[in-house]
Amino acid sequence: MKKTRFLRLAAVPATLLSLGLLSGAAQAKTLVYCSEGSPENFTPALNTTGTSFDTIRGVFDKLTAFKRGSTEVVPGLAESWTISPDGKTYTFKLRAGVKFHSVPGFKATRDFNADDVVWSFERQWKADHPYAKVSGGKFDYFADMGLKDDLVAVEKVDPLTVKLVFKRPNATMLANLAMEFASIQSAEYADALAKQNKKEQFDQVPVGTGPFNFVMYQKDAVIRYKANKDYFGEKALVDDLVFAITPDPTARYSKLKAGECHFAAYPRPADLPEMQKDPALKVISAPGMNIAYWAFNTQKPPLDKKDVRLALSMAVDKAAILKDVYLGAGLPAKNFIPPTLMGYNDAIKDVPFDPAKAKELLAKSGLKLPLEIDLWYMPVQRPYNPNAKRIAEMMQSDLAKVGVNAKLVSYEWGEYRKRLQQGEHMTGMMGWTGDNGDPDNFFFLHGCDAARAGGQNLAKWCHKGFDDKLEQARALTDNKARAKLYSEMQQIEHDEVPDFKIAHGVVFEVMRKEVTGYKQSPFGSHLFNGVDLK
């Protein structure tokens, strides 16, 4: 066996070889990503977590796209567009000759066209759509971003032209349409499965137009993709892409060192010094466009009282959390948006750590102590939170000192998120990494649309003044005017205390030295087209 051929196989996990994933393709380049969790499904419209989105980012395209490694909006499946003078109508000219992937039992007979765009949006919008209730039929992102209420029409003008009409202008719309929920799927594939009475397969075996074609998924173990040689955009430079699902960060590090994977995200801060010294590894980092927070369910007494929420906030030693858990990989957060975004209000003073004042506020509220609450913590590591369980334990200890008994609660990641969105918690930890580079993409998480059961406003907090400014800002194209509204909204958030803001995480990612061409995303996403192995 030639030396070069041997080296390519040496970097592939033995488990993958034993699964026969590389059978007949010994000379193929295979990039292995040690991912942190399993997907809920393979349809972006149904998901809200980065873990699930990562598994389909390379499979699907949207009308617009973000230039890899930046927040710049560029053409995607739409090669160009025009916006009406009133800002309510977007007309997209679609690319010709774009091919859909093939999967076992399905091979497309036509190219991508306007029918696929209409189908993809109407599934999330119209209750009578033939796939509206398939796989649970919950399209939370579409609703939370306001499209469910604001969309007036999705019209096919001709096979390569589509028109989206909205009730009101929205300055963030082109960026919103580059987000994962707006991925375009194959209407022909959906029709073929419906005729076979196999609709559920649509969300588990994805067919897209992206740089990688889905091959197979072994639950909680491995996902395999192959390069789409017909891709219209920046092509995959490797032949195969493998997600080796590895929830434990220590195990991910071990696999990196052993050459069993080429790339891993969410390293433990404590491991970074050793990683940075290893000549076989490359550590990259960037300020995170993110926020870690502890949400108070304002619909559950006594958390409907602002003084109680403020007391819980004052009881927690944020500086100790940053020191002991983030280990230099986080900045204390006082606002919901990170300092790098337009409209950041630096004049706001953070809630102080003041246990004596916390006790005073609790006594003033008339509550019988000890107060019993729950404190939900995430079961996974995220760019904004390296160890939610440890943070929860520190919070629990701080709260006990002011007469609050916090019961720690957690679930499997998908179940955790769903239960939080339904509002089952009293208090719960979560975080957010921006999807489109606009402050609106953070503030919508406190909007009234997202406060419904199933929505992503985990504080279930609806403030008319805040919501009015949110809507006003979306309708403006003047960024100075938008920034002023966002600054005022941060003051409202601060004064009303719907949550305790913990940190903005610095995002670290680790790869083997042979990986070239990777660009760190400001959104914390992982894209592997354009990435090669030396």
Side-chain angles (χ1 to χ4, degrees):
M1 185 179 286
K2 292 181 180 179
K3 184 179 180 183
T4 53
R5 186 174 172 188
F6 172 75
L7 287 174
R8 284 173 182 168
L9 279 175
V12 178
T15 52
L16 302 185
L17 290 169
S18 69
L19 288 169
L21 294 182
L22 302 180
S23 176
Q27 294 187 0
K29 282 187 181 180
T30 300
L31 176 68
V32 183
Y33 169 43
C34 275
S35 62
E36 85 289 357
S38 301
E40 298 161 75
N41 55 64
F42 290 90
T43 287
L46 293 165
N47 295 322
T48 59
T49 68
T51 301
S52 292
F53 284 150
D54 264 352
T55 62
I56 43 78
R57 288 185 206 279
V59 175
F60 293 106
D61 290 302
K62 287 78 67 178
L63 292 175
T64 57
F66 295 111
K67 185 177 180 180
R68 193 165 64 91
S70 83
T71 61
E72 180 187 352
V73 177
V74 296
L77 287 172
E79 61 183 11
S80 64
W81 52 81
T82 58
I83 305 172
S84 63
D86 65 3
K88 297 179 182 179
T89 301
Y90 291 69
T91 303
F92 294 93
K93 185 65 178 175
L94 307 179
R95 291 183 188 274
V98 176
K99 310 294 182 186
F100 276 105
H101 303 155
S102 295
V103 293
F106 175 76
K107 183 175 177 60
T109 64
R110 63 165 176 81
D111 293 346
F112 154 79
N113 64 32
D115 291 332
D116 304 301
V117 178
V118 173
W119 190 97
S120 298
F121 282 102
E122 288 194 343
R123 181 191 182 186
Q124 301 180 68
W125 183 39
K126 292 192 172 182
D128 61 351
H129 189 279
Y131 273 73
K133 294 181 173 60
V134 176
S135 303
K138 291 179 65 63
F139 307 107
D140 291 328
Y141 232 124
F142 186 84
D144 287 350
M145 299 307 294
L147 272 74
K148 184 177 181 181
D149 293 330
D150 283 355
L151 193 58
V152 174
V154 186
E155 299 175 2
K156 174 183 175 181
V157 178
D158 62 48
L160 290 176
T161 309
V162 69
K163 185 183 293 185
L164 271 64
V165 183
F166 299 92
K167 293 177 183 175
R168 46 193 166 184
N170 187 333
T172 70
M173 188 52 64
L174 290 176
N176 290 348
L177 293 177
M179 291 159 58
E180 305 307 324
F181 80 94
S183 296
I184 305 303
Q185 298 182 277
S186 168
E188 184 186 13
Y189 179 45
D191 291 343
L193 290 177
K195 289 173 184 174
Q196 299 172 52
N197 198 28
K198 294 181 179 178
K199 287 185 177 181
E200 296 290 338
Q201 180 180 315
F202 186 83
D203 300 316
Q204 303 302 331
V205 182
V207 169
T209 58
F212 288 99
N213 195 134
F214 174 86
V215 175
M216 61 82 74
Y217 171 43
Q218 182 177 330
K219 186 172 173 56
D220 300 329
V222 64
I223 314 170
R224 188 188 176 208
Y225 311 85
K226 65 181 178 182
N228 175 12
K229 303 301 183 183
D230 295 323
Y231 190 53
F232 65 85
E234 185 179 29
K235 288 181 167 55
L237 300 180
V238 295
D239 301 286
D240 296 279
L241 172 64
V242 173
F243 278 41
I245 298 167
T246 315
D248 181 64
T250 302
R252 292 198 294 272
Y253 183 22
S254 296
K255 287 183 177 182
L256 270 174
K257 288 193 292 185
E260 292 183 6
C261 63
H262 299 102
F263 189 98
Y266 319 123
R268 290 194 321 140
D271 290 333
L272 287 169
E274 185 181 341
M275 289 175 167
Q276 289 163 337
K277 293 175 186 174
D278 190 333
L281 302 180
K282 193 166 38 175
V283 178
I284 59 174
S285 66
M289 191 186 298
N290 61 40
I291 177 73
Y293 62 94
W294 178 35
F296 306 126
N297 189 337
T298 59
Q299 295 182 4
K300 288 193 173 181
L303 299 174
D304 55 338
K305 295 180 179 180
K306 182 171 70 174
D307 278 353
V308 175
R309 303 193 296 268
L310 182 58
L312 297 184
S313 299
M314 287 183 160
V316 174
D317 189 346
K318 184 184 300 187
I321 291 172
L322 268 291
K323 179 183 177 182
D324 294 349
V325 180
Y326 285 83
L327 302 176
L331 303 171
K334 63 180 181 179
N335 294 320
F336 209 69
I337 62 171
T340 53
L341 288 189
M342 170 183 69
Y344 182 80
N345 188 342
D346 199 34
I348 285 176
K349 303 295 183 186
D350 199 3
V351 174
F353 172 52
D354 191 341
K357 182 65 174 178
K359 287 181 180 179
E360 181 184 320
L361 287 169
L362 289 171
K364 181 181 172 184
S365 69
L367 293 173
K368 182 181 178 182
L369 298 182
L371 173 63
E372 304 288 338
I373 66 169
D374 58 36
L375 199 172
W376 293 33
Y377 66 89
M378 301 180 302
V380 295
Q381 304 84 34
R382 305 305 299 158
Y384 45 75
N385 192 326
N387 192 335
K389 183 178 181 182
R390 177 61 185 141
I391 294 176
E393 290 168 346
M394 294 177 73
M395 285 181 169
Q396 183 185 47
S397 177
D398 287 341
L399 291 166
K401 294 170 186 174
V402 301
V404 178
N405 293 335
K407 177 185 177 184
L408 303 190
V409 177
S410 193
Y411 295 92
E412 178 274 329
W413 182 222
E415 188 71 14
Y416 179 87
R417 179 186 59 78
K418 290 174 185 175
R419 286 174 178 263
L420 276 178
Q421 288 180 211
Q422 288 299 323
E424 293 183 19
H425 62 296
M426 287 185 73
T427 77
M429 259 192 277
M430 187 51 89
W432 187 256
T433 297
D435 288 304
N436 66 13
D438 195 283
D440 177 86
N441 189 243
F442 284 79
F443 290 125
F444 91 91
L445 292 167
H446 279 155
C448 292
D449 279 346
R452 72 190 188 286
Q456 294 182 79
N457 182 342
L458 304 183
K460 305 305 175 186
W461 174 73
C462 176
H463 185 284
K464 188 177 185 306
F466 180 95
D467 212 56
D468 287 347
K469 293 179 188 295
L470 179 66
E471 296 299 335
Q472 289 171 35
R474 284 175 175 167
L476 297 174
T477 55
D478 180 348
N479 280 343
K480 186 176 179 181
R482 290 180 75 209
K484 182 176 183 295
L485 288 169
Y486 292 143
S487 179
E488 293 167 357
M489 289 160 67
Q490 288 162 80
Q491 188 65 56
I492 294 172
E493 281 180 338
H494 172 80
D495 294 345
E496 292 296 317
V497 208
D499 46 43
F500 175 73
K501 297 158 184 72
I502 302 170
H504 305 295
V506 177
V507 179
F508 288 90
E509 296 174 332
V510 193
M511 66 194 81
R512 294 191 59 82
K513 287 286 188 182
E514 55 264 33
V515 176
T516 63
Y518 180 79
K519 294 183 180 180
Q520 194 165 21
S521 167
F523 309 121
S525 56
H526 302 101
L527 290 166
F528 296 105
N529 50 322
V531 179
D532 205 352
L533 297 173
K534 286 192 295 186

